[in-house]
Amino acid sequence: MTDIPVLDGLLRRALLAYNARALHTGAEAGAHTAAFLTELAADLLVVMDTADDPVRREFLAEAYRCLSMAADNPLGQSCREREELVNIACHGLAHALLTGPAGRASEEEVHGLLAEQWTASLLAWSQIFSARLDTVSPPCACGALGTRPVLVPAEGS
């Protein structure tokens, strides 16, 4: 039997990595991101092993594969690919969470769930990175934020 609160927590953690733009980090922050994804994949594997619904298990397996590949992708290389892998994992986790006796959830239901759990980048970053990692990531070569999102000071402050 799949534990829905645990599955919800896994989805939340995957979304934090995605929303924080953590897949674009390098150096020590990038290593932290890889460790975070590896731990998330390991926790997902435990849930996948206990899933009794074959449809849910299929979605969990897809999410596990994507998270594992994202964690193993070399730092500083293919950041957009890593981000896409985590996005696919988030969709797989959402499908698994919403799959029930009535069958698979629609794409609209999945997108609705993902939108409900969206977290602003700065807040998501603060939930997975310690403050000492705020400035240690070099800018990402792809042009996306590679370091902690920075608040722009209000004019006149």
Side-chain angles (χ1 to χ4, degrees):
M1 177 102 179
T2 305
D3 188 353
I4 298 300
V6 171
L7 191 53
D8 187 56
L10 293 171
L11 173 59
R12 176 87 181 115
R13 288 167 52 201
L15 282 168
L16 285 175
Y18 185 81
N19 292 335
R21 306 298 304 265
L23 293 309
H24 294 275
T25 55
E28 190 178 354
H32 177 78
T33 298
F36 181 84
L37 293 176
T38 299
E39 182 181 322
L40 180 57
D43 292 347
L44 176 55
L45 188 59
V46 172
V47 173
M48 190 172 69
D49 287 343
T50 63
D52 49 0
D53 181 325
V55 173
R56 182 173 278 145
R57 192 175 312 114
E58 179 184 326
F59 283 120
L60 294 174
E62 176 184 33
Y64 173 77
R65 281 189 299 273
C66 288
L67 288 172
S68 296
M69 287 190 299
D72 291 340
N73 198 326
L75 298 177
Q77 215 177 20
S78 305
C79 57
R80 292 200 189 270
E81 181 180 307
R82 290 170 56 199
E83 190 173 56
E84 185 59 31
L85 287 167
V86 173
N87 187 36
I88 293 168
C90 289
H91 278 79
L93 287 165
H95 269 289
L97 190 59
L98 295 172
T99 295
R104 292 179 166 200
S106 69
E107 284 301 314
E108 292 79 27
E109 291 172 307
V110 168
H111 289 185
L113 176 62
L114 294 174
E116 286 173 9
Q117 295 209 14
W118 176 82
T119 304
S121 293
L122 191 59
L123 180 58
W125 178 280
S126 71
Q127 291 182 27
I128 60 174
F129 290 97
S130 68
R132 89 178 168 73
L133 295 177
D134 282 354
T135 59
V136 297
S137 179
C140 187
C142 76
L145 288 174
T147 57
R148 176 180 182 238
V150 178
L151 289 176
V152 177
E155 199 170 300
S157 309

